[in-house]
Amino acid sequence: MAMKGNAADNRTRSSISIFIVIGMCGFFYVLGAWQRSGFGKGDSIAVEITKQTDCTVLPNLSYDTHHDRASNLEELGSKAENFEPCDDRYIDYTPCQDQKRAMTFPRANMKYRERHCPPEEEKLHCLIPAPKGYVAPFPWPKSRDYVPYANVPYKSLTVEKAIQNWVQYEGNVFRFPGGGTQFPQGADAYIGQLASVIPIANGTVRTALDTGCGVASWGAYLLKRNVLAMSFAPRDSHEAQVQFALERGVPAVIGVLGTIRLPYPSRAFDMAHCSRCLIPWGSNDGMYMMEVDRVLRPGGYWVLSGPPINWKMNYRAWQRTKEDLEEEQRKIEEIAELLCWEKVSEEGEIAVWRKRINTDSCPVRQDEPRVKICESTNADDVWYKKMEACVTPFPEVNSPEEVAGGELKTFPDRLNAVPPRITSGSVPGFSVQKYQEDDKLWKKHVKSYKKINRYLDTGRYRNIMDMNAGLGSFAAAIESPKLWVMNVVPTIAEKSTLGVVYERGLIGIYHDWCEAFSTYPRTYDLIHANGVFSLYQDSRCKMEDILLEMDRILRPEGAVIFRDQVDVLTKVKQMVSGMRWNTKMADHEDGPLVPEKILVAVKQYWVSGDNNQTAVA
């Protein structure tokens, strides 16, 4: 009888406890709604109470390799579509730089190497497989020098560029000695030569552009000097050069100087570089040099090494006539003079020019009839815009000594300093206060992310993408020598903020997520998607298109952090459950009453031939 009485008492106490918990949750829900409505006077207190009274429990998501495939479909209310693997011939598919489609476009001015995305009826609705034997890349800095052969199984460059020390095949890995066409003795020594002319060591030069980058050894060795290079090269006969760069852990995209403007803002780079990049700088009335001038910061440097520099000594080795090379250099020198670049050095096969700091420092150009000033009032409006042979004007200054657009601090001080585009009011809606609040908020968000994913700052995630970068505050908060962030500003974003990102000493690119990104499959270790699906909710593309593109560029066992409204993330969670991703939902840092949530995901490991796997989360 006593035992029965105790059981009854326990049931009574248990029932009372349940009612108390339910009552407290209900009370704090009402309290939270009240204080967030704007009428509550105890906002900070209520938020703190909400933090301490979380009525939800978030199971830990495993970020370790070879994850269990437990299904969570029941809680979503309906069964998700299972996306099947694509055919093996699509292992290295780049939708907007497809080789077969490229050959249908004119070759003049490299138009056929530009972005040509598939129409809706030709889009793939399947998952791009990894090659058999695919393994996780080596951690940085070992990845700079070694890439697993199974990840990029192409040997053509080891033969074609053998004497130039681009890449060598050794057993089951590729080794990158750091050489290049113009620096067979190594990029490090070559950069040392540049550093004797250009202030690379003191943080004045932080962002760089490498045009026609090869396997990006120049950018790879700049990283040890705290310089972040945006490298690009076309997808052409030099098989997988950009893919090698990204496997090495070096920022790079597929791109070309052709007929459309580069997808970067004006005044973005401290230095631009061409090492035997085969770009015809003197052609098209200097259009390509004028495009470099647009993206080069006032006071920035342009480096040209290789033909035609020092042609008198090298014309035989280059197998070109003296007259041809002399005329090419004459045109380059003439265009540089029209742009008012100052030639600061020419030694051996390396020439360096410096852009003037403002219009006042170049009065000759103002009266030069051969100089056509660009008519566009927005030099950052570049997405699919035709490139023109015109000069982008400097922002106005008040004195000859003032740097047009504002002087930047040296890096790393510029990372958290207020950028000139903010202080000048060039970005509508973003005051200094709002910028500082955004910076503080993302430090808080990143701190929370590190609690959710303990690997975030360990070096496991080297190549990181922020799909909706805003002011670059996520990248600034996570900044580390162990990683780099590709800051993407969507072309449909209300404000163009990519210029601010570059003024912080970070790199990024404009892109429309209704199209495929200019990269190879499996090139990013972690993707951050803040508000992406809310932004594209009423766009011309579907959620499925964006998620499949994310899957294409994410490595096996790579991670994704979504941040969005709960109703949006619920739909995302349901869809990716059919894409071989594991997912878990987490509350906002301020507690469960905040409608913005965090969805974390890990892509499962699977490779070509694993078609018998069930595609569940």
Side-chain angles (χ1 to χ4, degrees):
M1 293 292 292
M3 290 178 63
K4 288 182 180 179
N6 288 339
D9 290 341
N10 288 338
R11 282 195 297 273
T12 301
R13 283 194 292 270
S14 177
S15 299
I16 292 171
S17 298
I18 290 171
F19 283 121
I20 290 172
V21 170
I22 291 173
M24 289 179 67
C25 287
F27 168 73
F28 288 117
Y29 178 85
V30 173
L31 177 62
W34 173 67
Q35 61 95 7
R36 288 176 203 287
S37 69
F39 295 102
K41 301 300 182 185
D43 289 0
S44 59
I45 299 173
V47 170
E48 190 59 33
I49 294 173
T50 302
K51 290 179 184 177
Q52 297 172 14
T53 318
D54 186 352
C55 299
T56 64
V57 178
L58 173 69
N60 290 327
L61 176 68
S62 174
Y63 297 91
D64 296 323
T65 58
H66 305 299
H67 308 283
D68 294 332
R69 291 175 289 140
S71 175
N72 296 313
L73 295 183
E74 295 80 8
E75 66 188 73
L76 299 174
S78 62
K79 189 174 182 180
E81 175 188 355
N82 280 344
F83 293 91
E84 298 299 322
C86 302
D87 188 274
D88 288 356
R89 70 179 183 273
Y90 292 109
I91 280 176
D92 290 321
Y93 183 53
T94 53
C96 296
Q97 288 91 6
D98 178 65
Q99 296 287 64
K100 187 176 179 181
R101 188 179 303 109
M103 293 304 168
T104 66
F105 289 88
R107 297 199 172 202
N109 295 324
M110 296 293 285
K111 186 174 179 62
Y112 75 123
R113 295 296 185 197
E114 294 178 337
R115 289 175 57 85
H116 302 291
C117 300
E120 186 64 35
E121 62 273 14
E122 293 181 20
K123 287 183 178 179
L124 298 180
H125 295 279
C126 51
L127 307 176
I128 302 294
K132 289 182 180 179
Y134 181 88
V135 295
F138 294 113
W140 182 266
K142 185 178 180 180
S143 65
R144 184 192 69 184
D145 303 326
Y146 296 96
V147 166
Y149 170 76
N151 292 11
V152 194
Y154 305 113
K155 297 181 183 178
S156 60
L157 284 179
T158 65
V159 178
E160 185 181 346
K161 301 293 184 181
I163 62 172
Q164 296 167 5
N165 274 334
W166 274 35
V167 56
Q168 298 169 359
Y169 176 62
E170 298 179 355
N172 62 349
V173 299
F174 289 109
R175 185 171 73 86
F176 296 83
T181 305
Q182 202 56 38
F183 39 90
Q185 302 308 312
D188 206 25
Y190 173 78
I191 292 168
Q193 285 182 270
L194 299 181
S196 66
V197 180
I198 301 169
I200 292 174
N202 66 1
T204 298
V205 170
R206 164 62 178 176
T207 56
L209 179 68
D210 194 8
T211 55
C213 64
V215 294
S217 288
W218 187 71
Y221 280 85
L222 276 173
L223 286 164
K224 67 186 287 187
R225 300 172 191 251
N226 217 9
V227 176
L228 201 52
M230 171 68 80
S231 300
F232 73 79
R235 181 166 187 174
D236 58 12
S237 58
H238 292 164
E239 195 169 31
Q241 55 187 336
V242 168
Q243 192 173 15
F244 275 127
L246 287 155
E247 283 293 318
R248 297 174 72 186
V250 181
V253 293
I254 303 171
V256 67
L257 266 171
T259 67
I260 59 174
R261 290 197 179 279
L262 294 174
Y264 313 115
S266 59
R267 312 190 310 278
F269 298 99
D270 300 309
M271 174 170 58
H273 174 257
C274 162
S275 173
R276 206 165 184 173
C277 61
L278 304 180
I279 294 170
W281 296 111
S283 65
N284 296 320
D285 299 319
M287 181 170 69
Y288 299 138
M289 289 179 67
M290 291 174 185
E291 180 64 359
V292 169
D293 182 75
R294 182 185 69 83
V295 300
L296 199 60
R297 188 159 291 138
Y301 296 85
W302 185 54
V303 180
L304 177 61
S305 65
I309 305 303
N310 200 18
W311 58 268
K312 292 178 182 178
M313 297 291 293
N314 296 296
Y315 70 93
R316 289 190 180 91
W318 293 337
Q319 298 181 338
R320 292 174 61 184
T321 66
K322 290 189 286 186
E323 293 76 17
D324 179 36
L325 288 163
E326 183 179 18
E327 177 60 14
E328 183 180 348
Q329 180 151 359
R330 185 195 67 77
K331 286 182 178 179
I332 290 172
E333 300 277 8
E334 182 181 81
I335 296 161
E337 187 177 346
L338 287 175
L339 293 170
C340 222
W341 292 356
E342 177 191 4
K343 193 172 191 180
V344 295
S345 173
E346 182 176 331
E347 185 175 343
E349 297 172 22
I350 304 174
V352 180
W353 285 265
R354 190 181 186 206
K355 181 177 177 178
R356 303 284 184 171
I357 62 170
N358 57 42
T359 303
D360 290 353
S361 62
C362 185
V364 176
R365 193 171 83 177
Q366 298 179 45
D367 302 321
E368 173 56 61
R370 292 174 295 169
V371 174
K372 178 187 174 185
I373 303 298
C374 298
E375 295 178 1
S376 173
T377 57
N378 184 2
D380 297 349
D381 182 17
V382 296
W383 187 244
Y384 285 121
K385 293 299 169 62
K386 186 179 179 181
M387 197 185 301
E388 297 180 69
C390 63
V391 178
T392 302
F394 284 102
E396 294 183 3
V397 295
N398 296 315
S399 71
E401 294 77 29
E402 185 182 347
V403 178
E407 189 170 5
L408 297 178
K409 294 181 181 296
T410 56
F411 195 85
D413 291 343
R414 75 169 73 165
L415 183 65
N416 293 306
V418 180
R421 276 175 164 91
I422 297 295
T423 55
S424 66
S426 300
V427 185
F430 284 103
S431 63
V432 171
Q433 182 180 346
K434 283 192 175 182
Y435 168 81
Q436 292 171 335
E437 288 172 353
D438 183 79
D439 194 52
K440 183 179 179 181
L441 177 65
W442 279 103
K443 284 182 170 66
K444 173 183 171 181
H445 288 338
V446 168
K447 185 178 180 181
S448 174
Y449 291 163
K450 289 179 180 179
K451 292 178 181 178
I452 294 171
N453 184 343
R454 67 183 185 276
Y455 294 115
L456 201 58
D457 58 355
T458 64
R460 175 163 182 172
Y461 305 116
R462 170 70 183 169
N463 303 359
I464 297 178
M465 173 177 285
D466 191 356
M467 294 177 68
N468 186 19
L471 300 174
S473 296
F474 165 78
I478 205 173
E479 205 276 331
S480 163
K482 299 175 185 177
L483 56 87
W484 58 269
V485 179
M486 180 66 74
N487 292 280
V488 180
V489 172
T491 56
I492 70 167
E494 186 181 352
K495 302 289 194 310
S496 176
T497 54
L498 192 55
V500 173
V501 171
Y502 274 93
E503 287 181 345
R504 301 186 75 168
L506 304 168
I507 59 170
I509 194 169
Y510 291 114
H511 183 66
D512 182 357
W513 287 112
C514 288
E515 299 178 1
F517 193 74
S518 294
T519 192
Y520 285 82
R522 304 172 302 279
T523 44
Y524 285 87
D525 306 301
L526 185 141
I527 298 174
H528 180 240
N530 171 47
V532 171
F533 293 95
S534 287
L535 179 65
Y536 277 87
Q537 215 159 18
D538 300 318
S539 69
R540 61 186 173 92
C541 55
K542 297 178 289 187
M543 179 181 287
E544 172 185 320
D545 297 328
I546 300 175
L547 287 169
L548 286 172
E549 176 59 7
M550 293 172 70
D551 181 81
R552 184 184 74 88
I553 67 179
L554 186 66
R555 296 191 193 281
E557 299 173 340
V560 181
I561 302 173
F562 299 92
R563 179 180 287 270
D564 220 313
Q565 297 300 301
V566 64
D567 56 331
V568 174
L569 291 185
T570 301
K571 295 175 185 176
V572 171
K573 181 177 172 69
Q574 180 171 356
M575 188 164 288
V576 302
S577 66
M579 292 171 55
R580 309 188 185 195
W581 289 15
N582 301 319
T583 62
K584 292 293 181 184
M585 195 87 81
D587 284 324
H588 189 278
E589 298 89 348
D590 292 342
L593 304 184
V594 183
E596 182 179 271
K597 304 293 180 184
I598 301 166
L599 178 67
V600 288
V602 175
K603 180 178 176 178
Q604 295 173 18
Y605 178 89
W606 64 278
V607 298
S608 170
D610 291 354
N611 295 1
N612 58 338
Q613 286 195 9
T614 304
V616 294

